[in-house]
Amino acid sequence: MTGIALLDPETDQPVPAPSPVPSSPAPPPIPADLESVLKRMRFPYLRKAAPDVLATARSQRWDPAEVLRILLEEEIKGREAATRRSHRKQANLPTGKTFSSWREEDSSIPAPTQQALMTLEWVGRSENLAIAGPSGTGKSHFAEALAHKAIDRGMQVAWFSLESLTAHVGRATVDNSVAKAIAKITRANLIILDDIGMLPSGQAAAEAFYRVIDAAYERRSVIVTSNLHPSGFDSIMPKTLATAAVDRLLHHAHIVLTEGSSLRLTQATTGKGVKPLH
C-alpha cells in the first residue's frame, strides 16, 4: 500500500515528507573498573542509571555533588521499589483490589472515617480495626486497599483467612515451631484476618486466632473483617478463647460497621458483574 501525500492547503501541491528524527546515540558505558566497584558495593540501580546520568552531567557541566546526589537517589528509588514488590509478594493479598477501584460514595462507611483510616496513622500507634457487616458490603475490599496503601508506605503486611491461618499454625504444630511461626507473622506492621464467621470455627482455629491477637497486642496493628460483630465471636468458636482474643483485639480498636445490600449482588442484577459478550 502506498502512503498518502500531504498537500499544501494554499498551493494544493504535495508537501515533502518530514525527515525522520535521528535517534539519540546510546550513552557510552561506564568504565569497567567503576562497573566492578559498583557491583561489589551492590548498587545495581545506580549502575544501571550511571551511563545516562554521567553523559548528561558531562554535556551540561553538572556540579560533581549534584551527580552524586542524583545517582544515589536512583539507587534509593530502585531499592524502595524492590522492597515494595517483595512486601507485596510476601503479603499474599487475595485479589489486588486497591483504592483505585474503590467507590467511596457506594460504601456505607462514613466518608470522614474512610479518609481517617486511609492516613494509616492508627497503624503507627499499633491500633486495630474491626470491620463488621453483611456479606458484599465492601469489608474485604477496603481492608485489602488499606493493605496495599501500607505496602506503598514501606510497611510489611500479612493477610490470612481464619482457615489459612489455622492451617499455617497447624503445620507449625507438627514440628513444634508454633512460637516461631507466630513471631514471623507478627513481624508484619499490619496483620489482616479476613472473613471471620463465614464458617464455624473449632478449637484449632480459635487457638490460632488467639495466638496471633495476643502476640500482636499493643505491638502490631490487626484488621479483622467479619459478618459478625467481634463481641459475637463466642458463637462460632470456644467461648474462653474468643473472649480473651476479642478483649485484646478491641482494647485499642476502631470499630466500623457496614450495612446495606450486597454490592456484588447489586452489580450482578444490574448487568455490571461481567463484561458484555461479543
Side-chain angles (χ1 to χ4, degrees), residues 20-225:
V21 178
S23 57
S24 301
I30 58 177
D33 55 348
L34 178 56
E35 174 94 10
S36 176
V37 169
L38 292 176
K39 284 184 178 179
R40 291 178 59 191
M41 293 295 292
R42 298 181 180 177
F43 285 164
Y45 308 103
L46 188 156
R47 193 172 78 245
K48 182 179 179 181
D52 281 318
V53 172
L54 293 177
T56 303
R58 280 191 292 269
S59 66
Q60 298 189 9
R61 299 182 180 181
W62 285 355
D63 183 87
E66 180 69 5
V67 178
L68 182 60
R69 181 188 66 79
I70 291 174
L71 287 172
L72 290 176
E73 282 184 350
E74 288 297 319
E75 183 65 28
I76 291 170
K77 286 191 293 185
R79 291 187 182 191
E80 288 177 344
T83 297
R84 287 193 296 272
R85 288 193 298 270
S86 175
H87 285 177
R88 215 174 297 279
K89 183 177 180 180
Q90 293 170 3
N92 199 31
L93 301 177
T95 61
K97 290 181 178 177
T98 67
F99 283 118
S100 64
S101 58
W102 175 256
R103 293 175 61 86
E104 180 180 299
E105 65 278 9
D106 289 345
S107 174
S108 59
I109 303 172
T113 301
Q114 293 184 46
Q115 296 299 325
L117 291 171
M118 288 177 193
T119 66
L120 300 176
E121 291 179 3
W122 54 280
V123 178
R125 297 190 294 267
S126 300
E127 295 170 353
N128 301 326
L129 171 62
I131 311 176
S135 179
T137 51
K139 303 183 299 297
S140 297
H141 187 159
F142 191 69
E144 187 176 357
L146 288 173
H148 280 287
K149 199 174 187 70
I151 291 171
D152 289 339
R153 299 271 184 90
M155 301 181 197
Q156 288 182 275
V157 173
W159 179 287
F160 293 93
S161 66
L162 187 56
E163 290 74 23
S164 66
L165 176 66
T166 305
H168 183 78
V169 174
R171 288 191 293 270
T173 304
V174 174
D175 59 3
N176 200 30
S177 61
V178 173
K180 183 178 179 181
I182 297 298
K184 184 176 180 180
I185 292 172
T186 53
R187 280 203 292 268
N189 306 91
L190 179 61
I191 303 159
I192 302 172
L193 305 176
D194 186 43
D195 261 351
I196 294 177
M198 296 301 292
L199 297 170
S201 305
Q203 182 74 19
E207 288 183 8
F209 179 63
Y210 170 77
R211 285 179 182 275
V212 169
I213 298 299
D214 182 56
Y217 178 60
E218 295 187 332
R219 294 179 54 247
R220 294 290 187 265
S221 289
V222 179
I223 296 178
V224 168
T225 74

